[in-house]
Amino acid sequence: MLYNLITLYSSKIAGLNVVKYITFRAGVGMLSALLISFLLSPWFIRKLKHKQIGQSIRDDGPKSHFSKAGTPTMGGGLILFAVLIPALLWMDWGAFNFWAIFVITCGYGAIGFFDDYLKISKKNSKGLSGKLKLLCQFSLALVIMILYHFYVDNLGTLHFPFLKNVKFDLGLYYIPFAVLVIVGSSNAVNLTDGLDGLAIGPVMTSAACFSILAYVTGHKYIAEYLNYPYIPGAGELSIFAACMVGAGLGFLWYNTYPAQVFMGDVGSLPLGGALGMLAVLTKHEILLTLIGGIFVLVAVSVIFQVASFKLTGKRIFRMAPIHHHFELKGWPEPKIIVRFWIISIILALLSLLSLKIR
Ligand code: 57M
């Protein structure tokens, strides 16, 4: 909004022209998100403690987690505030991309809020029923993708990373495909948020990746030079992704081991949904599996564990998701977390190679 207002006067007041540049708005967006989450977290954590919004720990989990009981949770509410306020200030409200990413983030944040609220108000770790959560997530993503279908041309084209000029047109089947990407990404981040800082690290590396990819995809000349699909307006998403990085950094200062606060479903569901939406809006749906490879690893470990137990009565891992398997193997929690971060950084760098290798 500030962007829209300033551009009205940028030709009259010297120096304001800089606001036109996406790189400038992404930079100030990231910094303002970082300052909001870093500076307001101590106050927010005190508020959560005062309202006794503390984590209840399942008794069937790793014993090492019992000491975490009562840790303030729903810190994701501040992450969302730290992302959405700078996004509102620095993004172009006239872009469909802005509303698509803004609505999915707010919508999934509301779903996560009610899930957390029910868990805390009823002092159990059940919350919203899984089916109701999924129904709400699928419905919201479907509405946005149907609207998106009327907004863009060749919506259904799938681009393959590292392969030059290899495309596949899904036609209208792209809509359910994109909905699956968004809902899957949201729940994969949710599953990953099971150790201190384990989810926010890969969320930041993924968002940083998408900030670069969105800028390139939305830049006509760079996209053409790199033989990349040019998507008008995609550059605005670079600002939102940069705000996610900034807000995540500020949150990680308090969520790092031993965590003073957990993000809650109010954080994990919208952050994952936003990553899925970024992948869809920048046409990097397939590359998301590499960028968010840690989330894929966690989700696949659960799928394999449940399938194996149902089919054979035996478990593949000592406990799923896979981070709990390493815990039960005796790895210290910080070691698991940092090693997952290292893998997510490597995956992000490999993903960025797709800009040149095609
Ligand atoms: C999301 N939530 C954490 C915190 C965080 C189908 C099955 C795989 C589902 C899965 C599940 O319940 N997932 C829910 C993961 C929980 O974290 C809260 O949830 C929010 C994120 N949604 O923000 O508020 C616990 O994670 C720990 N934690 C930290 N630091 C953090 O910064 O230590 C979280 C954030 C917190 C805290 O202990 O309480 C979670 O793990 O529930 N179930 C599981 O993940 C369980 N696995 C399991 O049952 N495996 C089975 C089958 C079903 C695959 C098996 O292996 O046979 C594990 N989780 C728990 N106990 N809590 C193991 C048992």
Side-chain angles (χ1 to χ4, degrees):
M1 174 262 289
L2 202 57
Y3 161 74
N4 299 92
L5 286 175
I6 289 178
T7 42
L8 289 175
Y9 302 99
S10 59
S11 53
K12 299 181 182 69
I13 305 171
L16 281 185
N17 250 333
V18 72
V19 169
K20 284 184 178 172
Y21 294 99
I22 285 176
T23 46
F24 171 80
R25 287 186 279 139
V28 288
M30 179 177 161
L31 282 176
S32 30
L34 171 58
L35 286 174
I36 291 171
S37 61
F38 179 74
L39 296 177
L40 291 185
S41 281
W43 164 79
F44 196 68
I45 291 168
R46 283 197 301 276
K47 279 284 176 198
L48 293 172
K49 281 181 177 167
H50 176 69
K51 292 181 180 296
Q52 296 185 321
I53 300 177
Q55 184 69 49
S56 57
I57 304 295
R58 287 170 44 171
D59 52 19
D60 61 346
K63 301 285 173 284
S64 57
H65 285 232
F66 292 168
S67 61
K68 296 169 183 263
T71 303
T73 186
M74 294 185 75
L78 182 60
I79 298 174
L80 292 187
F81 182 78
V83 171
L84 297 174
I85 297 302
L88 278 166
L89 283 176
W90 299 109
M91 288 180 77
D92 176 2
W93 285 23
F96 176 88
N97 287 332
F98 165 76
W99 293 106
I101 196 88
F102 190 82
V103 168
I104 203 80
T105 304
C106 291
Y108 281 26
I111 296 166
F113 174 83
F114 284 114
D115 189 34
D116 287 333
Y117 178 76
L118 288 176
K119 283 177 196 168
I120 285 143
S121 58
K122 293 185 177 169
K123 285 280 176 225
N124 72 39
S125 60
K126 289 277 176 286
L128 276 177
S129 80
K131 288 191 175 72
L132 178 60
K133 235 181 344 185
L134 282 174
L135 178 68
C136 296
Q137 288 186 297
F138 274 105
S139 307
L140 181 60
L142 183 62
V143 167
I144 294 175
M145 288 319 299
I146 288 170
L147 290 174
Y148 191 44
H149 161 64
F150 292 107
Y151 177 79
V152 289
D153 306 324
N154 56 58
L155 168 89
T157 313
L158 261 190
H159 297 270
F160 289 81
F162 305 107
L163 300 176
K164 194 171 183 175
N165 299 327
V166 175
K167 295 175 193 169
F168 184 74
D169 190 3
L170 285 175
L172 281 180
Y173 291 108
Y174 180 81
I175 293 176
F177 169 76
V179 168
L180 273 175
V181 169
I182 295 162
V183 176
S185 176
S186 176
N187 287 285
V189 173
N190 183 42
L191 284 173
T192 306
D193 195 28
L195 296 180
D196 298 354
L198 188 69
I200 198 65
V203 162
M204 286 193 287
T205 56
S206 303
C209 236
F210 277 118
S211 188
I212 296 166
L213 293 171
Y215 180 77
V216 168
T217 313
H219 195 294
K220 188 171 174 50
Y221 303 115
I222 301 178
E224 276 171 10
Y225 168 73
L226 293 171
N227 190 22
Y228 234 66
Y230 168 58
I231 302 172
E236 287 296 316
L237 295 166
S238 180
I239 300 159
F240 192 93
C243 294
M244 288 175 71
V245 177
L249 270 175
F251 173 73
L252 181 59
W253 187 271
Y254 305 94
N255 180 239
T256 188
Y257 181 86
Q260 297 163 258
V261 64
F262 296 154
M263 68 169 73
D265 285 31
V266 67
S268 57
L269 292 180
L271 289 174
L275 289 177
M277 185 58 84
L278 285 168
V280 165
L281 294 175
T282 61
K283 306 300 294 171
H284 286 89
E285 310 86 350
I286 296 169
L287 195 60
L288 174 63
T289 56
L290 184 62
I291 295 171
I294 281 292
F295 303 126
V296 174
L297 174 69
V298 165
V300 166
S301 72
V302 171
I303 293 165
F304 275 57
Q305 178 88 330
V306 173
S308 166
F309 192 71
K310 281 185 174 167
L311 293 171
T312 68
K314 292 192 177 66
R315 288 182 162 86
I316 300 170
F317 305 100
R318 296 184 187 199
M319 186 178 285
I322 194 167
H323 45 270
H324 293 313
H325 172 78
F326 293 121
E327 275 192 296
L328 299 186
K329 281 189 72 168
W331 290 23
E333 184 170 347
K335 186 182 278 282
I336 302 167
I337 297 159
V338 174
R339 285 180 172 176
F340 272 46
W341 289 350
I342 292 168
I343 294 168
S344 64
I345 291 167
I346 292 168
L347 292 174
L349 294 173
L350 288 173
S351 303
L352 290 176
L353 283 178
S354 71
L355 285 168
K356 277 307 277 178
I357 302 172
R358 356 177 17 88

